[in-house]
Amino acid sequence: MRLSKRGEYGLRAMIMLAGTPHEDASLPVVQIKEISQREQISIKFLEQILLTLKNAGLLHSKMGVGGGYYLARPASEITLGQIFRVLDGPVAPIKCVSQMAYEPCGCPDEQTCGLRLVMGDVRNAIVDILDHTSLEDVAKRQESVRQSLGLTSQ
Amino acid sequence: MRLSKRGEYGLRAMIMLAGTPHEDASLPVVQIKEISQREQISIKFLEQILLTLKNAGLLHSKMGVGGGYYLARPASEITLGQIFRVLDGPVAPIKCVSQMAYEPCGCPDEQTCGLRLVMGDVRNAIVDILDHTSLEDVAKRQESVRQSLGLTSQ
DNA sequence: ATAAAGTCTATAATACTAGTAGACTTTAGT
DNA sequence: ACTAAAGTCTACTAGTATTATAGACTTTAT
């Protein structure tokens, strides 16, 4: 039940982008280098990850001087589930309960397989969280933790 | 978020053992070979898995002629979480929210890390299911599905 | 032009997965 | 005692996934 480093880094980067208010609206983009430094992620590895997210339509980018990345949609419309699936594949712990990538798992009778029933519950519990938590939700929650700790934003 | 084949096979085998009523109380053990055939699992691979579960104290065995495996405790006292952890390690999707195997994950500030907050929820949701579902629960649920399908037991 | 920035593909080291193999030990029955 | 049935234990292997690193390329502002 593990989130890969790819998934972790990608999610952290997206959350950071959601939590970075563009006070300076003329510079809505953030560079790979800055994300890499602030989140402590290898820049070359992060490049790949952001590119994948871009090709999946979750990020937009601007090339050339003054370029960088920005969310393809409002933070409220991007869920952690979408990001997760792009980077780490299906959420289901076992293929026979996957909605996105169903495949029989090889048990003698899938219809009455007890493991499948339970893993279906697990899948639903995970999906409930990941597909109903947007980047905005995370950014807000983060902010509220910061305030309850008496820290200033950023 | 994937259950390995090891984990899948081990859980299936344990569920099978829990669902096999020892009507013939003089023969409470089931042989590897039989589990392998009924669950369609490579016998050599299954050997390893059952041995691991035995060494973890979840199974007992009897060697020699007429030997085999049986649950170390009543099915109601063995949870899927216990089995899972033996075969697939910690349940938490990321180390920084693991109770059993905590490790910092490398984010700049763990206390306010939004990803960590959400993954903590995911961990709790999974643990809620796996640690509160016993082998007996699964066997009963399986049986009730069988009946609702109009099948006879076994 | 040039430098800043993203794009894309290839490669590599390491670890993990899903087995397979085979020699060994224990035990029941004769 | 012998034998066959059954679990025990360790090593090995082929394939795949993970976590990067490298470098050449393209786009764009100035």
Side-chain angles (χ1 to χ4, degrees):
Chain A
M1 298 288 184
R2 202 154 229 81
L3 176 66
S4 71
K5 283 289 174 186
R6 272 184 102 228
E8 179 195 329
Y9 294 162
L11 284 160
R12 291 231 310 269
M14 292 292 278
I15 292 169
M16 193 208 106
L17 285 173
T20 300
H22 312 133
E23 295 132 10
D24 183 352
S26 65
L27 271 180
V29 304
V30 183
Q31 294 150 16
I32 295 179
K33 197 178 151 195
E34 189 183 345
I35 303 178
S36 153
Q37 287 172 348
R38 288 190 24 198
E39 295 291 333
Q40 316 252 53
I41 301 170
S42 145
I43 193 167
K44 287 306 256 180
F45 194 19
L46 186 58
E47 266 183 16
Q48 284 181 5
I49 295 167
L50 297 181
L51 193 54
T52 302
L53 289 169
K54 188 210 155 174
N55 290 334
L58 297 179
L59 281 179
H60 284 168
S61 66
K62 193 168 168 251
M63 278 180 97
V65 176
Y69 281 100
Y70 55 100
L71 298 181
R73 281 169 281 146
S76 60
E77 293 172 24
I78 300 178
T79 67
L80 301 192
Q82 291 162 4
I83 301 166
F84 182 98
R85 289 191 181 87
V86 166
L87 297 173
D88 272 17
V91 171
I94 192 169
K95 283 178 262 173
C96 61
V97 298
S98 177
Q99 304 281 304
M100 326 289 287
Y102 169 83
E103 224 175 293
C105 65
C107 62
D109 181 7
E110 199 168 282
Q111 233 182 348
T112 60
C113 174
L115 183 60
R116 192 171 138 272
L117 294 169
V118 177
M119 288 300 151
D121 290 349
V122 171
R123 177 196 167 276
N124 290 339
I126 300 174
V127 162
D128 262 3
I129 296 175
L130 296 185
D131 282 351
H132 294 118
T133 304
S134 70
L135 289 174
E136 188 184 38
D137 295 330
V138 179
K140 278 184 182 163
R141 192 164 164 189
Q142 215 165 218
E143 191 51 36
S144 107
V145 170
R146 276 208 195 89
Q147 291 192 357
S148 76
L149 290 171
L151 305 174
T152 65
S153 179
Q154 291 296 333
Chain B
M1 300 285 183
R2 201 156 230 78
L3 176 66
S4 71
K5 282 291 175 185
R6 271 184 102 229
E8 179 195 326
Y9 294 161
L11 284 161
R12 289 232 311 269
M14 293 292 278
I15 291 169
M16 194 207 106
L17 284 174
T20 299
H22 311 132
E23 296 134 8
D24 184 353
S26 65
L27 272 180
V29 305
V30 183
Q31 294 151 17
I32 295 179
K33 197 178 152 195
E34 187 183 344
I35 303 177
S36 154
Q37 287 172 347
R38 286 189 27 196
E39 294 291 333
Q40 316 254 52
I41 302 169
S42 146
I43 192 167
K44 286 306 258 178
F45 195 19
L46 186 59
E47 265 183 19
Q48 282 184 4
I49 296 168
L50 297 181
L51 194 54
T52 303
L53 290 169
K54 188 211 155 171
N55 290 333
L58 297 179
L59 279 180
H60 284 168
S61 64
K62 192 168 170 253
M63 279 180 98
V65 177
Y69 280 101
Y70 56 100
L71 298 182
R73 281 172 279 147
S76 59
E77 292 172 24
I78 300 177
T79 67
L80 300 192
Q82 291 164 2
I83 302 167
F84 182 98
R85 288 189 182 89
V86 166
L87 297 173
D88 273 16
V91 171
I94 193 168
K95 282 177 263 176
C96 61
V97 298
S98 176
Q99 303 283 303
M100 326 287 290
Y102 169 82
E103 227 174 291
C105 65
C107 62
D109 181 7
E110 199 168 280
Q111 234 182 347
T112 60
C113 173
L115 182 59
R116 191 172 139 274
L117 295 169
V118 177
M119 288 300 150
D121 289 349
V122 171
R123 177 197 167 278
N124 290 339
I126 299 174
V127 163
D128 263 3
I129 296 175
L130 295 185
D131 282 351
H132 294 118
T133 304
S134 69
L135 288 175
E136 188 184 36
D137 296 330
V138 180
K140 277 185 182 162
R141 192 165 165 190
Q142 214 165 221
E143 191 52 35
S144 107
V145 170
R146 276 208 196 91
Q147 290 191 358
S148 77
L149 290 171
L151 305 175
T152 66
S153 178
Q154 294 294 336

